[in-house]
C-alpha cells in the first residue's frame, strides 16, 4: 500500500519524464539495429523508472549465484559502450531530478531514488529488476 502511494506521487511529481527518457533511449537503440542488445534493458529500466517503489535493481550474478553473458567480460564491454553512448546523459537527468527533489523535505525519498537510478544508468548491463521485500 505504501509503495503504491509513493509510486503515484513519484509519477505525478516527475518520474514520468525520466521513464520517457529511458524509452526514447530504447527506441533509438532499436532503430540503430546495433543497439538491439540494449533496447530491452532500456525498456525494463524505463518501467522501473516509472514505478520504482516496491522493486529494486540487482546484479543477476548476485541474484542467481552464477554468471551469464551480461555479467562477464562481454557485460563489462557492453557497460563501457553504454556509458559512452547513453549512460552519462540518463545519469545526468536522474541527478538533476534528484537535486530538484532535494529542495523540499517531502522530495528527499524521491531524490534518493533518483540517485539509485543514476547509478544504474551508468552501468545497466547485467542488472535485473525484482520485487523488493520492503514497503508492501
Amino acid at each position: 500500500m505504501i509503495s503504491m502511494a509513493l509510486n503515484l506521487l513519484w509519477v505525478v511529481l516527475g518520474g514520468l519524464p525520466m521513464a520517457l527518457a529511458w524509452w526514447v533511449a530504447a527506441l533509438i537503440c532499436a532503430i540503430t539495429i546495433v543497439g538491439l542488445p540494449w533496447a530491452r534493458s532500456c525498456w525494463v529500466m524505463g518501467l522501473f523508472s516509472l514505478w520504482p517503489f516496491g522493486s529494486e535493481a540487482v546484479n543477476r550474478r548476485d541474484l542467481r549465484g552464477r554468471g551469464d553473458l551480461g555479467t562477464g567480460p562481454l557485460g563489462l564491454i557492453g557497460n563501457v559502450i553504454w556509458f559512452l553512448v547513453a549512460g552519462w546523459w540518463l545519469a545526468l537527468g536522474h541527478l538533476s531530478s534528484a537535486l530538484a527533489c532535494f529542495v523540499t523535505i517531502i522530495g528527499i525519498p524521491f531524490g534518493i531514488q533518483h540517485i539509485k537510478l543514476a547509478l544504474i544508468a551508468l552501468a545497466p548491463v547485467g542488472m535485473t529488476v525484482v520485487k523488493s521485500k520492503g514497503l508492501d
Side-chain angles (χ1 to χ4, degrees):
M1 185 65 183
I2 293 173
S3 62
M4 175 71 84
L6 287 171
N7 281 321
L8 288 173
L9 277 172
W10 172 266
V11 171
V12 170
L13 297 176
L16 183 61
M18 284 312 303
L20 291 173
W22 278 99
W23 293 331
V24 166
L27 182 64
I28 292 169
C29 287
I31 288 172
T32 64
I33 306 294
V34 176
L36 277 174
W38 291 277
R40 183 177 183 279
S41 294
C42 289
W43 180 258
V44 169
M45 288 302 158
L47 288 173
F48 181 50
S49 238
L50 181 65
W51 210 252
F53 295 97
S55 299
E56 61 183 317
V58 295
N59 187 294
R60 286 196 312 266
R61 180 181 304 238
D62 296 339
L63 181 66
R64 297 182 182 138
R66 60 181 168 78
D68 61 25
L69 195 62
T71 60
L74 287 176
L76 176 64
I77 293 168
N79 274 327
V80 169
I81 293 168
W82 170 259
F83 175 79
L84 294 173
V85 175
W88 64 272
W89 64 265
L90 283 168
L92 283 176
H94 280 295
L95 289 175
S96 62
S97 297
L99 290 174
C101 289
F102 284 138
V103 171
T104 66
I105 291 178
I106 196 166
I108 290 173
F110 302 118
I112 292 169
Q113 193 66 37
H114 274 297
I115 300 273
K116 292 177 187 177
L117 287 162
L119 292 173
I120 294 166
L122 294 175
V125 177
M127 302 292 281
T128 191
V129 177
V130 296
K131 293 288 180 195
S132 62
K133 296 178 176 120
L135 299 167
D136 291 325

